[in-house]
Amino acid sequence: MTELQSQALKSDFKKLRVLLIILTLIEISYLIVAFTNVKLWIKIDFDYKINWVILGLNLIVSGIFIWYNWTKMPIEKKNKSNNTFLILFLGTIGMWLWIPNKRELKKLIEK
């Protein structure tokens, strides 16, 4: 892998990590409101349909992760399939498990 490709891979993973952090914060804040302030939760859930907005965001982010997995990741097809199932069935937790840490990213770049 060339230096330019490795820098692009690192940059892409930073962007994906930021996107996942934003999604996680939105979901955690929704759960906190749901468990601590029932009146507010009912208002935002039934009046503004925020649960559908969060579901839509989750599906969009999952789609981005799956697209990136299949088009940009320098891994075997079997691993791509496993990663897709991880993202689909575990949702946000699966996306956190999918993102490589520094050591795994270094191995991907060395391939």
Side-chain angles (χ1 to χ4, degrees):
M1 182 175 280
T2 66
E3 183 65 29
L4 186 60
Q5 289 174 329
S6 64
Q7 290 299 325
L9 193 66
K10 287 180 184 179
S11 173
D12 289 343
F13 276 115
K14 285 180 184 178
K15 292 173 189 173
L16 289 173
R17 191 177 310 267
V18 168
L19 186 64
L20 187 55
I21 288 170
I22 292 169
L23 178 67
T24 305
L25 289 175
I26 290 170
E27 289 180 351
I28 288 174
S29 62
Y30 176 75
L31 287 174
I32 289 172
V33 167
F35 287 116
T36 59
N37 193 344
V38 176
K39 288 182 181 180
L40 178 62
W41 175 69
I42 290 172
K43 181 170 179 59
I44 64 171
D45 216 27
F46 291 108
D47 292 348
Y48 300 107
K49 307 289 188 218
I50 198 73
N51 56 342
W52 289 104
V53 172
I54 292 174
L55 176 66
L57 285 172
N58 199 337
L59 290 175
I60 290 169
V61 173
S62 296
I64 291 169
F65 272 63
I66 291 170
W67 172 81
Y68 188 83
N69 180 45
W70 280 95
T71 58
K72 304 281 184 168
M73 288 289 289
I75 56 177
E76 297 175 6
K77 190 173 184 178
K78 179 185 175 189
N79 291 338
K80 289 181 181 188
S81 297
N82 291 339
N83 290 342
T84 300
F85 290 128
L86 181 75
I87 293 167
L88 284 178
F89 292 119
L90 294 179
T92 307
I93 295 170
M95 288 182 248
W96 277 112
L97 292 172
W98 175 78
I99 287 197
N101 57 25
K102 289 181 182 180
R103 185 182 55 211
E104 293 169 342
L105 187 58
K106 196 176 214 181
K107 286 181 186 178
L108 282 175
I109 291 172
E110 290 174 358
K111 284 185 179 182

